[in-house]
Amino acid sequence: MRVALRHHLLIWLLVPQLVLWLAAALVTYSVAVRYADLAIDRSLFQASKALARQVKPMGSGLLVDFPRAARDILETDPDEQVYYMVSSPPGQFILGNHQLPLPPDPDPGTDTQHFYDAYVQEQGETVAVRVAAISLNWGEPEAPQRMLVQVAKSRHSRQILARHILRDTAVPLSILVLIMSALVWMGIRSGLSPLARLRDTVSRRAPGDLAPLRLDVAPEEVRDLVGALNTLLAAVQESLIQQRRFINDAAHQLRTPLAGLKSQTELALKELEQRHYPDPGLHARLQMVLESATRSSHLITQLLTLARAEPESALVAGQQSFDLHQLAREITTEWVPRALSAHIDLGMDEDDGAEDLPASGWPTVVLGHPLLMREAIINLIDNAIRYAGSQTEVTVRVRASAQWVTLDVDDSGRGIEPALLPRVFERFVRGHQDSQGCGLGLAIVREIVLRHGGGVHLAPLSPHGLRARIELPQPKAAAAAVQSSTHSTMLP
């Protein structure tokens, strides 16, 4: 899975921040627990010292001066239950409200405070407590005794205090992390903006624009890449120049012999027809040679036109504004004699309205290459005249809307089989198997129209016939539309 560079950088910058935030939260919680323990231990130590003062040695015994009021003060805590116990020797209960476990150190030392965690049973439940213990000596010197004073409090208050400290610390820290993340994102976008400008510069280029990229628009880190691209563009431009030179040389070298072959064959046919006893077999063979030469010449012309219509051709870059309606009228007028010789009624529909398009009134001026568009229209009219059949009609129509300028070539012939409609725009695919064409006419139309940012479609007409439609964007949308390709489909 490919990840955008900005996302890759963002992940590598934010993930360490998240890890550090979690580590800071854990450290903060442990520090909060430690300071909560210190606060609770201080209060427990003061309580244990106060309790120890209520038990006074007297000779060989102990005087317990622990009035009810003092007991209530010690046992009553607004937040937690307080447990206390006095034992002497340690473990032998003398005073208190609960049996507390002994310290882990069996001999903590006289007047030494000792803090530890323990568990007590309270109404069938186990309660975790924090215990403060003080060991005191009492009795006669010849019979020393030891007394253990213990005061405990539930650890629940410690957890609450630690959570409060963590919350008060984590919220500002989280806000700082969010602010830092936003600054990181803004920094990444700002740092990658030169790459975005370089991308826009390349994407706005026309297909035939092979000029070198400016190095000053590229950041220093990618100037080597831009330099490599400029070297590649220069090599491609040189290759295209050689290709165009080869195409021009091939056109000259192939057209001249074929034109001579056609002329000589036509002269031979005329001479053969002027004889009193012409040879039928020789006449048929010469007629086949003439048809083959004509078909080869047409194929070469179509291949050269297709090469010029390719997106790599420099001809595509020379775009200008022209009137599609006027161009279609001129081509239709030129092809009327050819249509009449084939017994076909060819005409231009000058009506201002169309049943499937908005009323005319929008300009029919488009942005493109007039010579290439002339080839596209000629191919559509030529296909209609070739395959419509005798005693049919071919109508050319140009209409405009707010977004599109549309050219239709309708014929009342036999049409194309529905199964072949999706494939007729492929190269060397013929709409009729008995046709003499080379299967490149519609492929040329498609390449030319796509280079102009438009689309070409075929649809059957009722009761019979075929409509070939070219759609070109209005000049306002043509500059953007020419950057993308529109595929050929059937009309709805």
Side-chain angles (χ1 to χ4, degrees), residues 37-57:
D37 282 343
L38 290 176
I40 294 175
D41 290 349
R42 187 175 293 110
S43 65
L44 290 176
F45 176 70
Q46 295 299 330
S48 62
K49 292 290 286 184
L51 180 59
R53 285 194 293 267
Q54 304 304 317
V55 181
K56 303 174 182 178

Side-chain angles (χ1 to χ4, degrees), residues 1-16:
M1 181 180 64
R2 294 180 296 179
V3 181
L5 180 59
R6 63 168 56 91
H7 295 159
H8 186 76
L9 292 175
L10 188 64
I11 290 173
W12 278 100
L13 289 174
L14 292 186
V15 167

Side-chain angles (χ1 to χ4, degrees), residues 37-226:
D37 282 343
L38 290 176
I40 294 175
D41 290 349
R42 187 175 293 110
S43 65
L44 290 176
F45 176 70
Q46 295 299 330
S48 62
K49 292 290 286 184
L51 180 59
R53 285 194 293 267
Q54 304 304 317
V55 181
K56 303 174 182 178
M58 182 173 288
S60 60
L62 292 173
L63 174 62
V64 179
D65 185 12
F66 197 42
R68 181 69 182 183
R71 188 183 312 126
D72 292 340
I73 293 175
L74 184 60
E75 294 181 356
T76 303
D77 190 297
D79 298 322
E80 295 291 341
Q81 174 69 36
V82 176
Y83 309 94
Y84 62 93
M85 173 180 163
V86 178
S87 59
S88 179
Q92 299 296 323
F93 185 86
I94 297 177
L95 175 66
N97 65 352
H98 208 282
Q99 186 76 25
L100 296 177
L102 294 175
D105 185 2
D107 187 13
T110 304
D111 296 330
T112 302
Q113 57 183 0
H114 192 80
F115 302 96
Y116 58 96
D117 295 327
Y119 297 92
V120 298
Q121 297 295 324
E122 179 71 23
Q123 298 178 356
E125 296 182 0
T126 301
V127 180
V129 294
R130 181 71 172 174
V131 184
I134 299 178
S135 181
L136 301 173
N137 290 329
W138 68 277
E140 299 297 334
E142 60 274 6
Q145 300 289 330
R146 180 165 291 184
M147 177 177 63
L148 181 65
V149 179
Q150 296 171 282
V151 179
K153 183 182 290 189
S154 171
R155 280 185 283 173
H156 181 66
S157 60
R158 179 186 68 174
Q159 296 172 355
I160 294 177
L161 180 59
R163 283 198 294 267
H164 287 173
I165 296 175
L166 178 62
R167 181 193 61 192
D168 295 340
T169 306
V171 171
L173 184 62
S174 301
I175 295 175
L176 290 176
V177 169
L178 291 177
I179 295 175
M180 185 180 297
S181 301
L183 293 176
V184 167
W185 172 247
M186 293 172 60
I188 290 175
R189 292 194 60 180
S190 176
L192 295 181
S193 58
L195 289 178
R197 290 194 296 270
L198 179 62
R199 177 202 61 199
D200 295 338
T201 300
V202 175
S203 63
R204 285 195 300 266
R205 286 196 167 201
D209 187 2
L210 299 177
L213 297 171
R214 293 171 50 192
L215 290 177
D216 56 349
V217 301
E220 183 177 355
E221 290 76 10
V222 296
R223 287 190 178 182
D224 292 341
L225 174 61
V226 175

Side-chain angles (χ1 to χ4, degrees), residues 309 453 466:
L466 186 69

